[in-house]
Amino acid sequence: MVKSGMGDRDWRPFVYGGLASCVAEFGTFPIDTTKTRLQIQGQKLDKNHSALKYNGMVDCFLKIAKQEGFISLYSGIGPAVLRQATYGTIKFGTYYSLKSIILEHKKGEESVTINIVCAVFAGTVSSAIANPTDVLKVRMQVQGATSNVGLVDCFKEVYTHEGISGLWRGVNPTAQRAAVIAAVELPVYDFCKSHLMNLLGDRASNHFLSSLFASFGSAIASTPIDVVRTRLMNQRKLKKVGIAVPYRIYSGTFDCFVQTFKNEGFWAFYKGFIPTLTRMGPWNIIFFVTYEQLKAFY
């Protein structure tokens, strides 16, 4: 297998990963907002499913823009960019740097096994560190721009009512999701890129196709965990007694899986799959093309 050439042991993979992640986040964030809103649907204690507000990604996008204003589609962009600056920097920098160290030590060519191990480690560690920004992003996306809740206010609200542990709500499924995405996305991209090298060379067309294949696989593998993660992050475990919570209360990841399956069926785990895939495709294309261009430029 041809080496990817991204694993230089220096600061560049970290900086390029962070910059490319922020660029991709800005370009695809409205789709992520529709995904979050769709994933929240159906878990209200009222079992009247006809009362669901959104009927798919396009309907959700249009209703948010019409009823709340286009700016609501970017609610949570602050913590989202902050998250990518942290998560993206650590994830991609660790992946390529760790892979380079292992390959240098083994004095051999990269393999799928090495890529998966490095990706799982990088995804798990980076997502756990960046979890508070993910919680704030989800809360702000659900509330929308009409709530007039900013990043600092959202942080204060979570900390006041839920304590420091509230900022790490959903960290287990978040780390699991990140591990699954990284284990599929990064090795598939490197695998496709190396095998398309003879046909397309190290050009944007290769990066485009490789990132597209990586997106499809990671979307299928990660959506069920993402649904659970989103629901746990949106869950408010308020300290104040007597505050009504309109959603089901989950005791943890397993309980959320069980209750979701019991009350909504298997396909509830794929709520938001279309916007997930629709976002992952452009996100990865923007990310990897930007990453490769930064690498080539410098």
Side-chain angles (χ1 to χ4, degrees):
M1 186 179 290
V2 181
K3 291 184 180 181
S4 67
M6 291 189 195
D8 297 330
R9 287 175 59 186
D10 53 31
W11 52 266
R12 287 175 293 181
F14 292 90
V15 175
Y16 298 165
L19 288 174
S21 295
C22 290
V23 172
E25 193 72 12
F26 266 110
T28 61
F29 193 76
I31 303 174
D32 186 61
T33 298
T34 66
K35 179 210 72 172
T36 299
R37 294 285 185 97
L38 289 170
Q39 288 178 337
I40 292 301
Q41 285 196 135
Q43 61 173 335
K44 286 193 174 183
L45 297 175
D46 180 5
K47 294 179 181 272
N48 182 13
H49 292 282
S50 62
L52 293 181
K53 186 174 182 179
Y54 307 116
N55 184 27
M57 183 185 76
V58 175
D59 181 59
C60 182
F61 184 95
L62 294 175
K63 282 183 177 177
I64 292 174
K66 181 179 179 180
Q67 298 172 6
E68 305 173 36
F70 185 81
I71 193 66
S72 267
L73 292 166
Y74 274 92
S75 292
I77 188 63
V81 172
L82 183 60
R83 175 181 182 270
Q84 290 302 335
T86 307
Y87 169 70
T89 299
I90 298 173
K91 173 184 174 181
F92 294 102
T94 300
Y95 171 70
Y96 289 119
S97 297
L98 183 60
K99 188 170 70 168
S100 176
I101 294 172
I102 293 175
L103 292 176
E104 188 175 298
H105 178 72
K106 290 173 63 69
K107 296 181 180 179
E109 293 187 338
E110 68 182 70
S111 66
V112 174
T113 301
I114 291 176
N115 290 354
I116 291 176
V117 171
C118 292
V120 168
F121 178 80
T124 303
V125 172
S126 58
S127 64
I129 293 174
N131 197 78
T133 58
D134 222 0
V135 171
L136 299 179
K137 175 183 76 78
V138 168
R139 299 288 178 89
M140 292 176 71
Q141 284 179 318
V142 172
Q143 293 175 31
T146 54
S147 66
N148 294 318
V149 176
L151 173 59
V152 176
D153 291 332
C154 188
F155 174 84
K156 288 180 178 178
E157 181 184 339
V158 174
Y159 181 76
T160 300
H161 295 304
E162 304 169 57
I164 194 68
S165 62
L167 294 168
W168 266 270
R169 188 171 302 285
V171 66
N172 288 334
T174 296
Q176 291 162 6
R177 173 182 178 268
V180 169
I181 288 178
V184 176
E185 178 183 85
L186 296 175
V188 168
Y189 176 82
D190 284 346
F191 178 84
C192 291
K193 180 188 171 187
S194 66
H195 280 73
L196 290 172
M197 198 69 75
N198 293 332
L199 178 64
L200 300 174
D202 194 8
R203 295 195 295 269
S205 56
N206 185 341
H207 310 152
F208 178 90
L209 287 176
S210 298
S211 59
L212 206 58
F213 284 121
S215 301
F216 187 73
S218 58
I220 293 175
S222 67
T223 299
I225 303 175
D226 192 33
V227 170
V228 172
R229 176 190 75 100
T230 299
R231 292 185 172 195
L232 287 173
M233 284 183 170
N234 186 55
Q235 178 170 286
R236 287 171 168 77
K237 190 176 182 181
L238 300 177
K239 294 179 179 178
K240 295 181 180 179
V241 179
I243 294 181
V245 180
Y247 299 108
R248 294 189 181 93
I249 298 299
Y250 309 113
S251 61
T253 303
F254 181 74
D255 182 54
C256 187
F257 265 110
V258 172
Q259 285 203 52
T260 299
F261 180 78
K262 179 180 178 181
N263 293 293
E264 302 170 58
F266 171 79
W267 292 111
F269 293 114
Y270 279 90
K271 285 184 175 182
F273 175 76
I274 298 300
T276 295
L277 180 59
T278 304
R279 180 175 187 256
M280 272 190 172
W283 197 100
N284 280 320
I285 290 169
I286 294 172
F287 171 82
F288 282 112
V289 170
T290 302
Y291 188 102
E292 299 281 4
Q293 293 304 308
L294 285 170
K295 187 185 68 167
F297 182 76
Y298 289 103

